[in-house]
Amino acid sequence: MSKFGVLVMGPAGAGKTTFCSALIEHLRHNRRSCYYINLDPAAEDFTYEPDLDIKDLISLEDVMEEVGLGPNGGLIYCFEFLLENLDFLNEALDSVTEEYLIIIDMPGQIELYTHVPVLPNLVKYLTRTGSLHVNLCATYLLESSFVIDRAKFFAGTLSAMSAMLMLEIPHVNILSKMDLVKGTMARKELKRYLDPDATLLDDDDLADDARSREQGEAENGGTKGDTDPATPGNLMRGTSFKRLNRAVAQLIDDFSMVSFLKLDVQDEESLGAILSYVDDAIQYHEAQEPREPADDAGDYGAWNE
């Protein structure tokens, strides 16, 4: 019997736990069952108490105190410890049926998704044919405020693509917290970020050229412009930095793998659209038995008790 799950990933502050809470609420409203797992050994505050919490096995605070590691090293230690004690997951998930959507809330340290092999090993264990055999989809959240800084946006997009290549499972990439940029950008302009457009950097070059002309005019007029190459502003507009950004954007364009969905957790339609993509990726509905309306009502009542 297959199980179905979604892995919620992304950098710190992207809104992963908030998304999990909103998704649980949305599933409740639509009479669907879910099983919530927290795999962040440092997380403390939850809107919905997890059904399974890694802190019942190991916590980051204990590792830092007893082993003497820092936050990042301690996090990797926690996941290595989890991989050595996979019965913790197996025993909890063994009884979860195919009607449930397993929601797995992950930490925000991006090294887990980019170059450390612990997460790929965990995904292989969850998805392999056997007692668990979870049809798993990953969601990668990137905060929508990244679009204000295009170099930062392409760096975040590269981290999403790296996670896709590392995990080798279906991916849904999401621009979260859309309410933060609502009304600040035209819809046509926003589409260039949903399907990342490398020519966005051309606009930055035009702005830099205009700024350089202004500085030149200021110098010719007797006013000294800020031309010190060591200042942060000029450093981030330097030739080497531009070449790096263009190489990153071209790499993303060459792979043509990453596109984003918009997420506003206060909008039910936005949540429903993302859930629809997740369901399609894991083929959730194909495994469900047809049910009579009366059965749905009865199940919902029992589920709420």
Side-chain angles (χ1 to χ4, degrees), residues 98-199:
E98 62 187 12
E99 288 97 7
Y100 284 77
L101 179 65
I102 302 168
I103 301 172
I104 306 175
D105 192 359
M106 299 294 296
Q109 280 76 1
I110 62 171
E111 56 264 37
L112 284 175
Y113 318 124
T114 54
H115 58 276
V116 178
V118 289
L119 190 55
N121 291 337
L122 177 62
V123 167
K124 287 177 183 177
Y125 175 79
L126 292 172
T127 57
R128 74 184 183 190
T129 302
S131 59
L132 291 180
H133 191 201
V134 182
N135 286 0
L136 198 61
C137 166
T139 57
Y140 194 96
L141 275 65
L142 195 66
E143 188 175 332
S144 61
S145 61
F146 276 37
V147 303
I148 297 171
D149 184 339
R150 290 167 180 169
K152 188 176 180 181
F153 169 76
F154 280 108
T157 303
L158 182 63
S159 69
M161 189 175 77
S162 177
M164 295 173 75
L165 295 172
M166 282 276 286
L167 300 185
E168 299 180 330
I169 57 176
H171 250 73
V172 176
N173 297 301
I174 298 169
L175 276 182
S176 63
K177 303 183 182 180
M178 287 303 299
D179 54 301
L180 297 180
V181 297
K182 188 176 182 180
T184 64
M185 183 178 298
R187 185 174 299 179
K188 184 177 180 181
E189 180 72 5
L190 182 59
K191 286 182 179 179
R192 299 176 69 190
Y193 293 93
L194 298 180
D195 291 300
D197 182 359
T199 63

Side-chain angles (χ1 to χ4, degrees), residues 12-80:
K16 296 181 295 297
T17 300
T18 301
F19 171 59
C20 289
S21 299
L23 185 58
I24 291 170
E25 186 69 22
H26 181 80
L27 290 167
R28 285 189 170 188
H29 287 162
N30 289 274
R31 301 181 178 183
R32 280 182 57 177
S33 303
C34 63
Y35 191 91
Y36 181 29
I37 300 176
N38 171 53
L39 287 187
D40 184 350
E44 295 181 352
D45 299 322
F46 303 96
T47 303
Y48 295 98
E49 196 66 24
D51 298 294
L52 184 67
D53 192 340
I54 191 175
K55 295 197 301 296
D56 294 333
L57 176 70
I58 188 171
S59 73
L60 181 59
E61 182 180 3
D62 290 342
V63 169
M64 292 174 65
E65 289 180 1
E66 296 176 14
V67 185
L69 295 173
N72 290 342
L75 180 71
I76 294 172
Y77 182 95
C78 289
F79 270 81
E80 289 176 342

